Amino acid sequence: MINSRILILLAMYLGTLTCKAQNFELKKQNDSLYYLNGWRLPYPVYQYQTGDVDGDGKTDAIVGVIKGTRFYPEKARRIFIFKQVNGKARPLWLGSKLGGILEDFHYIDGKIRALERTDDDLYVVSDYKWGGFGMAFDHYIIKGVNKETAIKTFDQ
């Protein structure tokens, strides 16, 4: 199975993208317009994975987008999570922010593992789990380290 990060990078290079995973299909129309099972995503996508985020036994789509929000207007990396209802994507959580400044994420062992930068330019790797309405902090894997150390930990 092709890693979704590699597929997205390859698609960006080639200029087209259609990712299928677990009954979800992410289609790229242009650099800032994607569709996930009919749901319009008018933002650049930097990451796409699937997994059972909320523990209900069904696969969810986890899409990393770059956008601002009402309370955090600066364009930054965000995480959107979608359920599938009658073949269509429906939002489970349209995240405005996790703990720190999100650099990247993985779905692993029922949690979202995040590589985050702090306000003092240090890095943390944190696990988040479903908290009923959105993601809730679970624990740090490593914190207060330089970027290289954080990336090594994140990629393990």
Side-chain angles (χ1 to χ4, degrees), residues 93-106:
W93 186 64
L94 303 176
S96 60
K97 194 170 174 157
L98 290 174
I101 302 161
L102 185 62
E103 299 271 327
D104 204 356
F105 70 89
H106 297 303

Side-chain angles (χ1 to χ4, degrees), residues 7-19:
L7 187 60
I8 287 173
L9 292 173
L10 180 62
M12 287 177 180
Y13 175 75
L14 296 174
T16 61
L17 174 67
T18 299
C19 298

Side-chain angles (χ1 to χ4, degrees), residues 8 11-18 26-36 40-46 65-66:
I8 287 173
M12 287 177 180
Y13 175 75
L14 296 174
T16 61
L17 174 67
T18 299
L26 181 67
K27 290 184 180 181
K28 178 181 179 180
Q29 180 126 4
N30 59 52
D31 287 342
S32 60
L33 178 58
Y34 292 76
Y35 288 91
L36 178 71
R40 186 173 186 267
L41 288 165
Y43 318 107
V45 170
Y46 69 91
V65 300
I66 299 171

Side-chain angles (χ1 to χ4, degrees), residues 142-155:
I142 193 169
K143 66 179 183 173
V145 298
N146 64 30
K147 185 174 186 174
E148 181 181 344
T149 302
I151 290 171
K152 284 180 185 176
T153 302
F154 178 74
D155 285 339

